[in-house]
Amino acid sequence: GNSVTQMEGPVTLSEEAFLTINCTYTATGYPSLFWYVQYPGEGLQLLLKATKADDKGSNKGFEATYRKETTSFHLEKGSVQVSDSAVYFCALNSGNTPLVFGKGTRLSVIA
Amino acid sequence: DVKVTQSSRYLVKRTGEKVFLECVQDMDHENMFWYRQDPGLGLRLIYFSYDVKMKEKGDIPEGYSVSREKKERFSLILESASTNQTSMYLCASSYDRFTNEKLFFGSGTQLSVL
């Protein structure tokens, strides 16, 4: 079946540090890949997505590249801010099935 | 903007009670979902629905049921609440089965069963 594995947190960084959150997946067919973000006290919201191999999704300074050869979709940001503190979820969708989410990675950015 | 509204932000119930969690979306979405979110376990799908009066089991349906009598409303029912159902419950919706990639989430209901 489809599954997503992402690095365990929590991750604590200083402001302006470089961020990487690893995500790998197992899927049948050709999945679409997503990163969702959950800010404190809120539901999840879509951060970025990529629908085919070598696509790069980007939004709000975050980027992730769909790597079919390594079955990965790592999230990166060059310079994090305190406002990026949140829980980040990697997810995939294959065919017409519901999204499958990873367990989430909590990021704390300190000033 | 799409709005997904969950009826309660916090709920405290006793073991054995019947519990209703309500979710309403205002964008005519066909798909609706119920997840629970637990520390260390992430999001797990309980039930989902692709149309009115339709329902499909997710990964952890035991102890839950759902109702979708109207397109905009999707209710999660705990027939007899137990302490292991203490959790954050998240409702989500998406446009249709073939573009179900972008989910819109409610803010969640934190349920405590004592």
Side-chain angles (χ1 to χ4, degrees), chain A residues 29-103:
Chain A
Y30 303 95
S32 296
L33 301 173
F34 309 85
W35 278 100
Y36 277 76
V37 60
Q38 184 180 33
Y39 297 105
E42 299 181 12
L44 283 71
Q45 56 186 274
L46 179 64
L47 180 60
L48 55 84
K49 71 174 188 180
T51 57
K52 61 183 188 295
D54 300 324
D55 266 3
K56 178 186 283 187
S58 61
N59 187 24
K60 299 182 180 179
F62 291 89
E63 293 183 340
T65 301
Y66 188 146
R67 301 283 188 205
K68 189 178 178 185
E69 63 275 14
T70 54
T71 62
S72 65
F73 192 56
H74 304 322
L75 182 69
E76 296 182 337
K77 186 175 186 182
S79 176
V80 294
Q81 305 300 313
V82 171
S83 57
D84 294 325
S85 298
V87 182
Y88 293 83
F89 292 89
C90 187
L92 73 81
N93 165 257
S94 184
N96 298 328
T97 57
L99 284 179
V100 174
F101 288 88
K103 293 183 178 181

Side-chain angles (χ1 to χ4, degrees), chain A residues 32 34 36 38 41-46 49 51 87 89 93 95-104, chain B residues 9 33 35 37-38 40-43 45 48 50 88 90 97-98 100-108:
Chain A
S32 296
F34 309 85
Y36 277 76
Q38 184 180 33
E42 299 181 12
L44 283 71
Q45 56 186 274
L46 179 64
K49 71 174 188 180
T51 57
V87 182
F89 292 89
N93 165 257
N96 298 328
T97 57
L99 284 179
V100 174
F101 288 88
K103 293 183 178 181
Chain B
R9 183 74 180 94
F33 307 83
Y35 290 88
Q37 181 179 10
D38 300 287
L41 298 177
L43 268 69
L45 182 63
F48 60 102
Y50 285 150
M88 170 68 80
L90 292 170
R97 180 195 293 255
F98 303 101
N100 66 354
E101 299 171 344
K102 184 172 182 179
L103 297 187
F104 294 85
F105 281 84
S107 297

Side-chain angles (χ1 to χ4, degrees), chain B residues 60-74:
Chain B
I60 52 163
E62 297 78 19
Y64 303 94
S65 62
V66 290
S67 172
R68 191 153 182 217
E69 295 296 318
K70 293 185 178 181
K71 191 174 186 179
E72 67 271 18
R73 186 180 297 270
F74 193 37

